[in-house]
Amino acid sequence: DDIDSGVSLSPDGKRLVFVRDNDPDVGKFQVLIANADGTQSRMLYGGPVSAYVAVVAWSPDGKLIASFVPSSTDTQSEIQYRNVETAKLKDSQRFKDLNFEDLAWLPDGRGFISTYYRGFSPAGRRTQIGFVPREKGEVRAVTRDTNVYITPTLSADGGTLAAVQQRAQQTFYAISTDGSGANASAESPPSPAAAQSRESRSFGWSGSGEIYFDGTLSRVSADGGSRATILNDPDGDISSDRKSVV
């Protein structure tokens, strides 16, 4: 069967919850509960894909399904808590500038270990690991670096965290606007620019021709000979208008 999310098991291991979208109805999603062997599935709740549920997680006490509804440019992201039998919304938490990709309950139910990123666009995101309290409170960073983390899991006693760490390196190219020197072919790609920042995913030009790279925010001369760290913060980014840093 078609499954469009990770699978979360009930505390007793007998049932599982998952998300399916555009099946059987295009433009709609379903949150489904089934036996652990995949039999006797039933829809817990559903809705339009515009309100798509990206992540589901069964609570340690077996009573709630936590689900994450991603943000768009004009809404807040949200973690919702629904009764596992009736789908009634118990309560929710809203986040102004955070998106979550995983929710791993702590065994005592006081919150989650999650991978998250700031902002609305997943492009160029660096997902970090954080603690998300079940009640109101700030998300607390567990990692804060230029790596990418995915699929965090907790041991049964909650004492050990495991996750996959990814690290990508980028190459910056600068080509004349008339295309000269591009050597645009698969066999002969253009040469990398002198200015480089291997862990950056976006950049901006200054009026004087210097280049600002995101990540550990730095300013580099076009010839690569001069480099200055502006902000030693892996969350540093270039604004969409390329006129400021955030």
Side-chain angles (χ1 to χ4, degrees):
D1 288 338
D2 180 27
I3 296 177
D4 296 292
S5 72
V7 171
S8 179
L9 285 167
S10 60
D12 62 9
K14 294 181 179 180
R15 293 186 292 172
L16 50 84
V17 61
F18 59 93
V19 181
R20 179 180 294 155
D21 69 315
N22 292 312
D23 181 10
D25 298 319
V26 175
K28 296 182 179 180
F29 77 88
Q30 298 178 334
V31 174
L32 297 109
I33 290 177
N35 291 334
D37 62 3
T39 61
Q40 297 184 357
S41 65
R42 67 176 177 87
M43 186 179 78
L44 182 62
Y45 68 97
V49 292
S50 59
Y52 174 67
V53 169
V55 181
V56 287
W58 209 309
S59 66
D61 64 7
K63 297 179 179 179
L64 299 173
I65 299 295
S67 60
F68 174 63
V69 181
S71 67
S72 64
T73 55
D74 58 356
T75 62
Q76 294 178 317
S77 60
E78 186 175 15
I79 296 178
Q80 298 179 345
Y81 303 92
R82 292 181 182 269
N83 182 284
V84 73
E85 301 300 337
T86 66
K88 182 178 179 180
L89 182 64
K90 177 177 172 58
D91 57 87
S92 64
Q93 294 169 273
R94 293 190 175 186
F95 303 87
K96 187 163 55 177
D97 64 345
L98 295 178
N99 278 284
F100 302 93
E101 294 202 338
D102 299 277
L103 295 174
W105 282 94
L106 270 67
D108 58 10
R110 62 188 172 90
F112 309 90
I113 292 296
S114 176
T115 50
Y116 70 97
Y117 62 93
R118 295 187 180 277
F120 298 115
S121 172
R125 67 184 182 269
R126 291 187 181 88
T127 51
Q128 298 293 296
I129 299 173
F131 169 69
V132 185
R134 168 66 178 87
E135 304 297 335
K136 292 182 179 180
E138 295 293 325
V139 174
R140 298 200 297 269
V142 175
T143 62
R144 189 178 176 86
D145 54 46
T146 57
N147 297 308
V148 173
Y149 297 90
I150 60 174
T151 60
T153 57
L154 288 167
S155 59
D157 63 1
T160 303
L161 165 67
V164 176
Q165 183 190 77
Q166 296 178 329
R167 185 169 185 173
Q169 289 193 336
Q170 320 297 325
T171 301
F172 178 66
Y173 294 87
I175 299 171
S176 172
T177 54
D178 63 8
S180 61
N183 299 324
S185 70
E187 294 77 16
S188 181
S191 298
Q196 293 291 332
S197 182
R198 297 297 185 187
E199 296 176 349
S200 297
R201 296 180 183 235
S202 65
F203 69 94
W205 291 98
S206 72
S208 58
E210 295 172 309
I211 304 162
Y212 286 83
F213 291 103
D214 74 339
T216 301
L217 202 64
S218 58
R219 182 181 65 235
V220 184
S221 61
D223 62 6
S226 174
R227 177 183 295 270
T229 298
I230 305 301
L231 183 64
N232 192 17
D233 185 344
D235 284 334
D237 204 355
I238 311 295
S239 65
S240 59
D241 61 8
R242 299 297 188 261
K243 293 181 179 180
S244 58
V245 295
V246 292

